[in-house]
Amino acid sequence: MRKPTTRKTTTRTALLATAAALLGTLATAPTARADGPYGQGLDHCAPTATGALACHIDLAPGTYDVTVTLGGATAGATTITGETRRALLGETPTAPGERLRRSFTVDVRDPEGEPTGPAGTPGLDLLLGGPAPRVTSLRVTPAPAATRLFLIGDSTVCDQPDEPYAGWGQMLPAHLRRGTAVANHADSGESTLTYMANPALFARVEAAVRPGDPVLVQLAHNDKRTDAVTYRANLTALVERIRAAGGRPVLVTPVVRRWFNADGTLNNATALLVNGLGVDHPAEIRSLATTLGTPLIDLTALTRARVEHLGPEASKALYLTAEKRDNTHTSAAGATAYAALVAAELRDRGILPARSLR
Protein backbone atom coordinates (compact mmCIF):
# COMPACT_ATOMS: atom_id res chain seq x y z
CA MET A 1 0.00 0.00 0.00
CA ARG A 2 2.98 2.36 0.38
CA LYS A 3 4.25 2.18 -3.22
CA PRO A 4 1.64 4.60 -4.62
CA THR A 5 2.44 7.07 -1.82
CA THR A 6 6.15 6.85 -2.64
CA ARG A 7 5.46 7.56 -6.30
CA LYS A 8 3.30 10.58 -5.41
CA THR A 9 6.01 11.95 -3.10
CA THR A 10 8.66 11.47 -5.78
CA THR A 11 6.49 13.17 -8.39
CA ARG A 12 5.75 16.09 -6.06
CA THR A 13 9.46 16.52 -5.32
CA ALA A 14 10.26 16.54 -9.06
CA LEU A 15 7.55 19.12 -9.74
CA LEU A 16 8.84 21.36 -6.96
CA ALA A 17 12.38 21.09 -8.34
CA THR A 18 11.14 21.98 -11.84
CA ALA A 19 9.19 24.96 -10.49
CA ALA A 20 12.24 26.18 -8.58
CA ALA A 21 14.37 25.93 -11.69
CA LEU A 22 11.79 27.87 -13.72
CA LEU A 23 11.60 30.58 -11.05
CA GLY A 24 15.37 30.89 -11.21
CA THR A 25 15.12 31.35 -14.98
CA LEU A 26 12.41 33.97 -14.56
CA ALA A 27 14.56 35.89 -12.11
CA THR A 28 17.29 36.29 -14.72
CA ALA A 29 14.97 37.10 -17.65
CA PRO A 30 15.07 40.55 -19.30
CA THR A 31 12.52 43.08 -18.16
CA ALA A 32 9.26 42.71 -20.11
CA ARG A 33 8.66 45.52 -22.55
CA ALA A 34 5.71 46.35 -24.79
CA ASP A 35 7.05 47.61 -28.08
CA GLY A 36 4.41 47.61 -30.79
CA PRO A 37 1.07 49.02 -31.92
CA TYR A 38 -0.85 46.26 -30.14
CA GLY A 39 1.39 46.18 -27.08
CA GLN A 40 3.23 43.15 -28.44
CA GLY A 41 6.62 42.84 -26.91
CA LEU A 42 8.43 40.73 -24.41
CA ASP A 43 5.39 41.01 -22.15
CA HIS A 44 3.94 38.36 -24.46
CA CYS A 45 6.87 36.03 -23.77
CA ALA A 46 7.66 33.62 -20.95
CA PRO A 47 10.98 31.96 -20.15
CA THR A 48 11.27 28.24 -20.74
CA ALA A 49 13.25 25.77 -18.66
CA THR A 50 16.05 25.93 -21.27
CA GLY A 51 16.47 29.70 -21.00
CA ALA A 52 14.66 30.53 -24.26
CA LEU A 53 11.67 32.86 -24.47
CA ALA A 54 8.40 31.42 -25.78
CA CYS A 55 6.17 34.17 -27.17
CA HIS A 56 2.53 34.05 -28.23
CA ILE A 57 0.66 36.93 -29.87
CA ASP A 58 -3.03 36.70 -30.79
CA LEU A 59 -3.21 37.58 -34.48
CA ALA A 60 -5.54 36.79 -37.36
CA PRO A 61 -4.11 34.84 -40.32
CA GLY A 62 -1.99 37.05 -42.58
CA THR A 63 1.56 38.26 -43.11
CA TYR A 64 3.38 40.12 -40.34
CA ASP A 65 6.73 41.85 -39.97
CA VAL A 66 8.69 40.93 -36.85
CA THR A 67 11.54 43.14 -35.63
CA VAL A 68 13.76 42.17 -32.71
CA THR A 69 16.61 43.92 -30.95
CA LEU A 70 19.32 41.47 -30.00
CA GLY A 71 22.15 41.87 -27.50
CA GLY A 72 22.85 42.42 -23.85
CA ALA A 73 25.52 43.10 -21.28
CA THR A 74 27.15 39.76 -22.02
CA ALA A 75 27.91 37.97 -25.29
CA GLY A 76 25.00 36.19 -26.90
CA ALA A 77 23.99 33.89 -29.73
CA THR A 78 20.30 33.97 -30.63
CA THR A 79 18.12 31.98 -33.02
CA ILE A 80 14.41 32.46 -33.71
CA THR A 81 11.94 29.80 -34.78
CA GLY A 82 8.20 30.13 -35.11
CA GLU A 83 4.90 28.39 -35.67
CA THR A 84 5.57 24.75 -36.59
CA ARG A 85 9.35 24.72 -36.06
CA ARG A 86 10.06 27.16 -38.90
CA ALA A 87 13.55 28.65 -38.96
CA LEU A 88 13.08 32.42 -39.06
CA LEU A 89 16.45 33.79 -37.99
CA GLY A 90 19.70 31.87 -38.05
CA GLU A 91 22.12 31.96 -35.15
CA THR A 92 23.14 35.59 -34.68
CA PRO A 93 26.06 36.40 -32.34
CA THR A 94 26.26 39.63 -30.33
CA ALA A 95 29.29 40.96 -28.47
CA PRO A 96 29.02 42.28 -24.89
CA GLY A 97 27.12 45.55 -24.96
CA GLU A 98 26.31 45.26 -28.67
CA ARG A 99 22.78 45.81 -30.01
CA LEU A 100 21.57 44.48 -33.36
CA ARG A 101 18.20 44.91 -35.01
CA ARG A 102 16.91 42.11 -37.22
CA SER A 103 13.61 41.82 -39.13
CA PHE A 104 11.74 39.15 -41.04
CA THR A 105 8.21 38.48 -42.28
CA VAL A 106 6.05 35.57 -41.15
CA ASP A 107 3.08 33.93 -42.83
CA VAL A 108 0.50 33.21 -40.12
CA ARG A 109 -2.07 30.72 -41.32
CA ASP A 110 -4.56 28.13 -40.12
CA PRO A 111 -3.49 25.36 -39.91
CA GLU A 112 -0.03 26.68 -39.17
CA GLY A 113 1.92 23.66 -40.46
CA GLU A 114 0.98 20.92 -42.90
CA PRO A 115 -2.38 21.72 -44.52
CA THR A 116 -3.84 18.32 -43.58
CA GLY A 117 -2.07 18.17 -40.21
CA PRO A 118 -3.00 19.44 -36.73
CA ALA A 119 -4.39 22.96 -36.59
CA GLY A 120 -1.70 24.16 -34.19
CA THR A 121 -2.14 27.29 -32.09
CA PRO A 122 -4.07 30.30 -33.44
CA GLY A 123 -2.00 33.46 -33.74
CA LEU A 124 1.77 33.79 -33.89
CA ASP A 125 4.16 31.69 -31.82
CA LEU A 126 7.86 32.51 -31.63
CA LEU A 127 10.70 30.84 -29.78
CA LEU A 128 13.63 33.14 -29.04
CA GLY A 129 16.38 30.66 -28.33
CA GLY A 130 19.88 29.61 -29.29
CA PRO A 131 23.04 28.85 -27.33
CA ALA A 132 22.84 32.16 -25.42
CA PRO A 133 19.66 34.08 -26.32
CA ARG A 134 19.78 37.85 -25.83
CA VAL A 135 16.59 39.72 -26.87
CA THR A 136 15.69 43.15 -25.52
CA SER A 137 12.68 44.09 -27.66
CA LEU A 138 10.12 42.55 -29.98
CA ARG A 139 7.78 44.34 -32.39
CA VAL A 140 5.11 42.79 -34.64
CA THR A 141 3.23 44.77 -37.28
CA PRO A 142 0.87 43.80 -40.12
CA ALA A 143 2.48 43.45 -43.56
CA PRO A 144 -0.46 42.91 -45.92
CA ALA A 145 1.54 43.84 -49.02
CA ALA A 146 4.36 41.37 -48.37
CA THR A 147 5.33 38.97 -51.16
CA ARG A 148 4.57 35.36 -50.34
CA LEU A 149 6.77 32.59 -51.68
CA PHE A 150 4.38 29.64 -51.95
CA LEU A 151 5.65 26.07 -51.68
CA ILE A 152 3.82 23.06 -53.10
CA GLY A 153 5.42 19.75 -52.24
CA ASP A 154 5.65 16.61 -50.16
CA SER A 155 7.25 15.53 -46.87
CA THR A 156 10.74 16.56 -48.00
CA VAL A 157 9.49 20.16 -48.28
CA CYS A 158 6.80 20.59 -45.62
CA ASP A 159 6.83 22.08 -42.13
CA GLN A 160 7.43 18.83 -40.27
CA PRO A 161 5.72 18.89 -36.86
CA ASP A 162 8.08 16.61 -34.97
CA GLU A 163 11.80 16.01 -34.58
CA PRO A 164 13.97 14.56 -35.98
CA TYR A 165 12.16 15.24 -39.28
CA ALA A 166 12.59 18.54 -41.13
CA GLY A 167 11.69 19.76 -44.63
CA TRP A 168 13.77 22.18 -46.66
CA GLY A 169 10.79 24.53 -46.91
CA GLN A 170 10.77 24.69 -43.11
CA MET A 171 14.32 26.07 -43.11
CA LEU A 172 13.92 28.44 -46.08
CA PRO A 173 12.40 31.43 -44.17
CA ALA A 174 15.73 32.07 -42.42
CA HIS A 175 17.16 33.08 -45.83
CA LEU A 176 14.55 35.80 -46.48
CA ARG A 177 14.57 39.42 -45.41
CA ARG A 178 11.60 41.46 -44.27
CA GLY A 179 9.04 41.88 -47.04
CA THR A 180 8.93 38.27 -48.24
CA ALA A 181 7.37 35.37 -46.34
CA VAL A 182 7.39 31.64 -47.07
CA ALA A 183 3.86 30.21 -47.33
CA ASN A 184 4.66 26.52 -47.06
CA HIS A 185 1.66 24.49 -48.26
CA ALA A 186 3.65 21.29 -48.78
CA ASP A 187 2.05 18.21 -47.25
CA SER A 188 3.36 14.74 -46.42
CA GLY A 189 2.47 11.89 -48.76
CA GLU A 190 1.18 14.00 -51.66
CA SER A 191 1.57 13.28 -55.37
CA THR A 192 0.70 15.44 -58.39
CA LEU A 193 -2.72 13.77 -58.42
CA THR A 194 -3.60 13.98 -54.72
CA TYR A 195 -2.35 17.54 -54.32
CA MET A 196 -4.79 18.82 -56.93
CA ALA A 197 -7.65 16.59 -55.79
CA ASN A 198 -7.68 17.61 -52.11
CA PRO A 199 -9.50 20.95 -51.56
CA ALA A 200 -7.29 21.63 -48.52
CA LEU A 201 -4.24 21.73 -50.77
CA PHE A 202 -4.02 23.28 -54.24
CA ALA A 203 -7.41 24.98 -54.10
CA ARG A 204 -6.25 26.97 -51.06
CA VAL A 205 -3.00 27.97 -52.73
CA GLU A 206 -4.83 28.95 -55.90
CA ALA A 207 -7.24 31.16 -53.96
CA ALA A 208 -4.47 32.81 -51.93
CA VAL A 209 -1.93 33.59 -54.65
CA ARG A 210 -1.63 37.26 -55.59
CA PRO A 211 -0.17 38.63 -58.82
CA GLY A 212 3.60 38.21 -58.82
CA ASP A 213 3.83 35.66 -56.00
CA PRO A 214 6.32 32.90 -56.88
CA VAL A 215 5.01 29.34 -56.45
CA LEU A 216 7.60 26.55 -56.20
CA VAL A 217 6.34 23.07 -57.12
CA GLN A 218 8.26 19.93 -56.06
CA LEU A 219 6.11 16.81 -56.43
CA ALA A 220 7.62 13.45 -57.40
CA HIS A 221 8.43 11.23 -54.44
CA ASN A 222 4.87 9.92 -54.13
CA ASP A 223 4.11 9.59 -57.87
CA LYS A 224 5.36 6.01 -57.66
CA ARG A 225 2.73 4.58 -60.02
CA THR A 226 1.99 7.67 -62.12
CA ASP A 227 2.66 7.18 -65.83
CA ALA A 228 4.62 9.78 -67.79
CA VAL A 229 1.63 11.17 -69.71
CA THR A 230 -0.41 11.67 -66.53
CA TYR A 231 2.54 13.10 -64.62
CA ARG A 232 3.22 15.71 -67.29
CA ALA A 233 -0.49 16.54 -67.56
CA ASN A 234 -0.76 17.05 -63.79
CA LEU A 235 2.26 19.35 -63.63
CA THR A 236 1.05 21.25 -66.70
CA ALA A 237 -2.33 21.81 -65.05
CA LEU A 238 -0.64 23.11 -61.89
CA VAL A 239 1.53 25.52 -63.88
CA GLU A 240 -1.38 26.80 -65.97
CA ARG A 241 -3.66 27.34 -62.99
CA ILE A 242 -0.94 29.13 -61.02
CA ARG A 243 -0.43 31.46 -63.96
CA ALA A 244 -4.16 32.02 -64.31
CA ALA A 245 -4.23 33.10 -60.65
CA GLY A 246 -1.44 35.61 -61.31
CA GLY A 247 1.35 33.59 -59.70
CA ARG A 248 4.78 32.78 -61.13
CA PRO A 249 5.27 28.99 -61.21
CA VAL A 250 8.72 27.52 -60.67
CA LEU A 251 9.30 23.79 -61.23
CA VAL A 252 11.65 22.06 -58.79
CA THR A 253 13.14 18.61 -59.30
CA PRO A 254 13.02 16.39 -56.17
CA VAL A 255 15.77 15.94 -53.62
CA VAL A 256 17.68 12.70 -54.10
CA ARG A 257 17.39 9.64 -51.93
CA ARG A 258 20.61 8.65 -50.20
CA TRP A 259 21.09 5.37 -52.05
CA PHE A 260 24.68 4.72 -53.09
CA ASN A 261 26.13 2.41 -55.73
CA ALA A 262 29.25 0.43 -54.90
CA ASP A 263 31.33 3.06 -56.70
CA GLY A 264 30.09 5.86 -54.42
CA THR A 265 27.68 7.43 -56.93
CA LEU A 266 23.90 7.89 -56.87
CA ASN A 267 23.42 6.90 -60.49
CA ASN A 268 20.46 4.55 -59.91
CA ALA A 269 16.68 4.65 -60.14
CA THR A 270 16.05 4.70 -56.39
CA ALA A 271 18.32 7.65 -55.70
CA LEU A 272 17.30 9.65 -58.76
CA LEU A 273 13.54 9.20 -58.50
CA VAL A 274 12.73 6.93 -61.42
CA ASN A 275 9.41 5.36 -60.47
CA GLY A 276 8.15 1.78 -60.77
CA LEU A 277 6.86 2.42 -64.30
CA GLY A 278 10.24 3.72 -65.44
CA VAL A 279 9.20 7.39 -65.36
CA ASP A 280 12.27 9.56 -64.78
CA HIS A 281 10.71 12.34 -62.71
CA PRO A 282 13.61 14.82 -62.82
CA ALA A 283 13.97 14.38 -66.60
CA GLU A 284 10.24 14.94 -67.08
CA ILE A 285 10.35 18.09 -64.95
CA ARG A 286 13.37 19.49 -66.80
CA SER A 287 11.72 18.87 -70.15
CA LEU A 288 8.42 20.34 -69.05
CA ALA A 289 10.09 23.49 -67.69
CA THR A 290 11.53 24.11 -71.14
CA THR A 291 8.23 23.37 -72.89
CA LEU A 292 6.18 25.60 -70.58
CA GLY A 293 8.80 28.32 -70.23
CA THR A 294 8.97 28.16 -66.44
CA PRO A 295 12.04 28.71 -64.27
CA LEU A 296 13.65 25.45 -63.11
CA ILE A 297 15.46 24.69 -59.87
CA ASP A 298 17.27 21.41 -60.48
CA LEU A 299 17.39 20.31 -56.87
CA THR A 300 18.02 16.72 -57.93
CA ALA A 301 21.34 17.70 -59.51
CA LEU A 302 22.27 19.99 -56.63
CA THR A 303 21.49 17.48 -53.87
CA ARG A 304 23.13 14.66 -55.80
CA ALA A 305 26.34 16.66 -56.04
CA ARG A 306 26.22 17.43 -52.30
CA VAL A 307 25.56 13.83 -51.25
CA GLU A 308 28.15 12.32 -53.58
CA HIS A 309 30.73 14.88 -52.43
CA LEU A 310 30.14 13.94 -48.79
CA GLY A 311 30.20 10.23 -49.54
CA PRO A 312 28.38 7.26 -47.96
CA GLU A 313 29.40 7.99 -44.37
CA ALA A 314 29.30 11.78 -43.96
CA SER A 315 26.07 12.10 -45.98
CA LYS A 316 24.20 10.15 -43.29
CA ALA A 317 23.96 13.37 -41.31
CA LEU A 318 21.75 14.92 -44.01
CA TYR A 319 19.13 12.20 -43.73
CA LEU A 320 17.52 10.18 -40.95
CA THR A 321 19.75 7.21 -41.66
CA ALA A 322 20.93 6.79 -38.07
CA GLU A 323 17.69 7.76 -36.35
CA LYS A 324 15.09 6.03 -38.53
CA ARG A 325 17.03 4.02 -41.13
CA ASP A 326 15.44 6.48 -43.52
CA ASN A 327 17.37 7.69 -46.58
CA THR A 328 14.53 9.78 -48.06
CA HIS A 329 13.57 12.22 -45.31
CA THR A 330 16.03 14.86 -44.19
CA SER A 331 17.33 15.75 -40.77
CA ALA A 332 17.49 19.36 -39.58
CA ALA A 333 21.04 19.47 -40.93
CA GLY A 334 19.97 18.13 -44.32
CA ALA A 335 16.94 20.41 -44.58
CA THR A 336 19.13 23.39 -43.65
CA ALA A 337 21.72 22.49 -46.29
CA TYR A 338 19.08 21.96 -48.99
CA ALA A 339 17.23 25.18 -48.10
CA ALA A 340 20.50 27.05 -48.69
CA LEU A 341 20.74 25.48 -52.15
CA VAL A 342 17.19 26.63 -52.96
CA ALA A 343 17.86 30.13 -51.63
CA ALA A 344 20.93 30.46 -53.86
CA GLU A 345 18.87 29.38 -56.88
CA LEU A 346 16.14 31.91 -56.03
CA ARG A 347 18.78 34.63 -56.16
CA ASP A 348 20.82 33.37 -59.11
CA ARG A 349 17.81 32.74 -61.34
CA GLY A 350 16.13 36.04 -60.49
CA ILE A 351 13.08 34.35 -58.97
CA LEU A 352 13.45 36.71 -56.02
CA PRO A 353 15.47 39.95 -56.08
CA ALA A 354 18.78 39.78 -54.25
CA ARG A 355 17.54 42.35 -51.73
CA SER A 356 14.90 39.83 -50.55
CA LEU A 357 17.52 37.29 -49.46
CA ARG A 358 19.99 37.29 -46.60
Side-chain angles (χ1 to χ4, degrees):
M1 295 295 292
R2 292 186 179 180
K3 286 184 179 179
T5 303
T6 301
R7 280 196 289 268
K8 288 179 181 178
T9 302
T10 302
T11 300
R12 178 188 170 114
T13 301
L15 288 172
L16 288 173
T18 301
L22 182 57
L23 286 172
T25 303
L26 285 166
T28 61
T31 303
R33 174 181 171 188
D35 189 23
Y38 309 112
Q40 303 104 315
L42 297 182
D43 53 335
H44 287 256
C45 305
T48 69
T50 62
L53 286 174
C55 311
H56 175 77
I57 301 169
D58 290 324
L59 297 170
T63 46
Y64 295 87
D65 289 338
V66 178
T67 300
V68 293
T69 303
L70 307 178
T74 58
T78 307
T79 62
I80 301 179
T81 57
E83 300 294 81
T84 304
R85 302 174 58 233
R86 295 182 218 162
L88 299 172
L89 184 69
E91 186 174 316
T92 305
T94 47
E98 183 181 20
R99 293 291 187 273
L100 294 177
R101 180 169 289 185
R102 293 291 183 267
S103 298
F104 50 85
T105 303
V106 182
D107 175 56
V108 176
R109 60 182 182 271
D110 182 18
E112 67 181 38
E114 293 182 271
T116 64
T121 306
L124 173 62
D125 290 290
L126 300 171
L127 184 67
L128 316 179
R134 302 286 185 270
V135 183
T136 58
S137 71
L138 168 68
R139 177 183 175 89
V140 180
T141 54
T147 297
R148 284 175 295 176
L149 176 68
F150 285 87
L151 304 182
I152 289 173
D154 51 37
S155 56
T156 65
V157 185
C158 74
D159 287 350
Q160 289 280 1
D162 300 311
E163 295 179 341
Y165 295 89
W168 62 255
Q170 199 163 19
M171 302 302 177
L172 190 58
H175 292 275
L176 303 183
R177 296 183 183 275
R178 185 178 65 180
T180 304
V182 173
N184 191 352
H185 288 256
D187 197 69
S188 294
E190 306 300 340
S191 67
T192 55
L193 178 63
T194 62
Y195 200 91
M196 287 202 299
N198 189 334
L201 298 173
F202 184 63
R204 289 194 65 177
V205 173
E206 191 174 31
V209 167
R210 293 189 299 243
D213 285 338
V215 185
L216 275 56
V217 180
Q218 185 213 280
L219 289 168
H221 277 88
N222 299 301
D223 281 278
K224 298 173 183 177
R225 303 301 299 175
T226 308
D227 63 79
V229 172
T230 302
Y231 185 67
R232 289 175 67 89
N234 290 344
L235 284 179
T236 299
L238 282 166
V239 166
E240 290 177 345
R241 289 173 64 177
I242 290 167
R243 283 176 171 161
R248 295 187 290 128
V250 178
L251 291 177
V252 183
T253 60
V255 301
V256 294
R257 296 190 179 100
R258 186 193 157 277
W259 196 267
F260 281 93
N261 297 327
D263 64 359
T265 69
L266 301 181
N267 189 23
N268 60 77
T270 300
L272 300 182
L273 281 294
V274 179
N275 76 5
L277 300 180
V279 179
D280 185 331
H281 290 110
E284 293 291 342
I285 296 168
R286 294 177 190 119
S287 173
L288 197 60
T290 299
T291 301
L292 298 176
T294 68
L296 172 72
I297 295 177
D298 196 344
L299 200 52
T300 304
L302 293 168
T303 55
R304 177 184 179 179
R306 178 64 58 88
V307 172
E308 287 184 341
H309 173 74
L310 290 172
E313 190 58 35
S315 64
K316 289 178 180 178
L318 300 179
Y319 291 82
L320 299 179
T321 307
E323 300 90 339
K324 301 286 185 180
R325 301 182 67 182
D326 182 341
N327 292 300
T328 296
H329 295 96
T330 48
S331 63
T336 299
Y338 292 172
L341 295 176
V342 173
E345 290 288 289
L346 293 173
R347 177 187 293 108
D348 295 346
R349 299 187 179 281
I351 297 165
L352 287 176
R355 66 178 181 276
S356 298
L357 293 141
R358 295 188 187 278

